[in-house]
Amino acid sequence: MRCSLLNRFQGTLLGANLGLVLAQLAQIYPHWRLWQALPSEIAALPLLPLIQHWSEVLIQGDSELLALRIQPRDLPVTAFGLTLPLGLYYHDQPTQLEQQIQVTLTAIAATELASAVTAVNQAIAYILQERGQPTELIPTLLAAGLPSPLSQCLVQVQRLQAEYIGLGPAIAAMADTEPVIAAIGLGFYAYLSTPTDVRLTLLRAIQTSPKVELTALVAGALAGAEQGWTAIPISWRLQTPSDYPQAILSLADRLLAAWAGCDPVSQTPIENLALSAPGVMRPR
């Protein structure tokens, strides 16, 4: 394993959140530069409420879906952010993952996004399990079966990658694709273009449009799962308020502990625990 599963859990949640923050910066502060601190009014954790919702359900082992108190400003971003903990917790249980995504999207009236959300979480599962190289990701997803608009988009992304097409032509190639599907495709493109460099992945993602926030969220989640949170540039991790990124990192700690079958009320730091996949040391 190239990096620990904990590092990957943390990277997925933090990468998605950071992608959303940088996408907002690109739109609101066009003259902001990478070496500058994040503006205080935007250096928050926009995904934290969404991530916390399902994480607490999973950590506490509560089979009832907690009441959703979410007013979606952007329904696709809400749907993808809300289901990220599911993609982590059920990364080794594809049937359960698909079922829980369906339950979640039904609760926020976003069932039309089920196939796309499931595909992104399946991609995260593929990365977490180290099932193959990044170049094999899209063929693996296509082999599992995807609806036509999304499958056609990913086939196009695969072609763009194989032909080493640059960002500008890639964006132009998606111009006639439905915006949400195009945003997902460009998120995959940004990740697959530079799978070993989280910084370049996110910089590519925030140059897209029109749904740049969704593209950056998807790209950040995939890149974070691949490289872990320690691969995120330190300047993006430190030039922020004191509770960032610790709130998301702590949540990822607890989510991994719950996945491994640890007592959710235990106060023992996860780095002091011995973890294995569920069912190896004891049943989940």
Side-chain angles (χ1 to χ4, degrees):
M1 181 174 285
R2 293 183 293 273
C3 61
S4 72
L5 194 56
L6 174 59
N7 200 352
R8 292 175 183 274
F9 270 46
Q10 294 171 330
T12 302
L13 298 184
L14 186 57
N17 189 87
L18 184 57
L20 195 55
V21 169
L22 294 178
Q24 293 171 353
L25 272 173
Q27 298 175 78
I28 301 174
Y29 299 95
H31 301 297
W32 175 80
R33 295 293 180 266
L34 293 178
W35 59 84
Q36 296 175 323
L38 299 180
S40 58
E41 64 269 30
I42 204 170
L45 296 167
L47 280 183
L48 187 58
L50 302 181
I51 293 170
Q52 278 180 322
H53 173 86
W54 250 121
S55 294
E56 292 301 332
V57 173
L58 298 168
I59 290 166
Q60 299 300 326
D62 188 351
S63 60
E64 297 293 328
L65 183 65
L66 295 178
L68 287 170
R69 299 183 180 87
I70 297 169
Q71 300 297 324
R73 179 180 61 84
D74 185 327
L75 187 57
V77 168
T78 298
F80 281 87
L82 191 61
T83 55
L84 279 178
L86 294 173
L88 297 176
Y89 189 81
Y90 292 111
H91 73 271
D92 56 342
Q93 299 180 77
T95 302
Q96 279 285 88
L97 173 61
E98 190 168 353
Q99 290 174 349
Q100 295 297 341
I101 285 175
Q102 189 67 40
V103 169
T104 302
L105 296 186
T106 299
I108 61 171
T111 52
E112 72 278 4
L113 296 172
S115 296
V117 170
T118 300
V120 171
N121 281 286
Q122 287 173 338
I124 291 171
Y126 174 93
I127 295 169
L128 294 179
Q129 295 178 69
E130 296 188 342
R131 291 168 53 192
Q133 298 300 316
T135 53
E136 300 166 351
L137 172 58
I138 288 180
T140 301
L141 293 176
L142 294 174
L146 293 173
S148 181
L150 182 58
S151 64
Q152 290 175 355
C153 179
L154 292 183
V155 167
Q156 192 171 38
V157 171
Q158 184 78 354
R159 179 186 64 80
L160 295 171
Q161 291 297 312
E163 298 177 4
Y164 299 100
I165 302 299
L167 180 61
I171 295 172
M174 299 286 181
D176 295 329
T177 305
E178 194 277 324
V180 170
I181 299 298
I184 296 166
L186 289 170
F188 274 89
Y189 170 86
Y191 158 65
L192 292 171
S193 298
T194 50
T196 61
D197 193 322
V198 178
R199 175 181 173 275
L200 287 180
T201 293
L202 288 174
L203 290 181
R204 282 174 179 267
I206 64 174
Q207 295 179 62
T208 63
S209 63
K211 291 189 173 296
V212 62
E213 293 183 1
L214 180 57
T215 297
L217 187 158
V218 170
L222 295 174
E226 177 73 35
Q227 294 295 318
W229 90 279
T230 50
I232 295 172
I234 194 168
S235 60
W236 291 356
R237 290 186 266 139
L238 294 183
Q239 295 179 347
T240 50
S242 58
D243 63 344
Y244 176 98
Q246 194 54 50
I248 282 183
L249 298 183
S250 298
L251 199 58
D253 291 353
R254 298 175 61 219
L255 191 60
L256 178 64
W259 170 83
C262 297
D263 183 355
V265 300
S266 172
Q267 299 301 310
T268 305
I270 194 169
E271 59 268 19
N272 297 333
L273 297 172
L275 300 182
S276 72
V280 175
M281 295 177 69
R282 61 188 171 112
R284 177 180 287 176

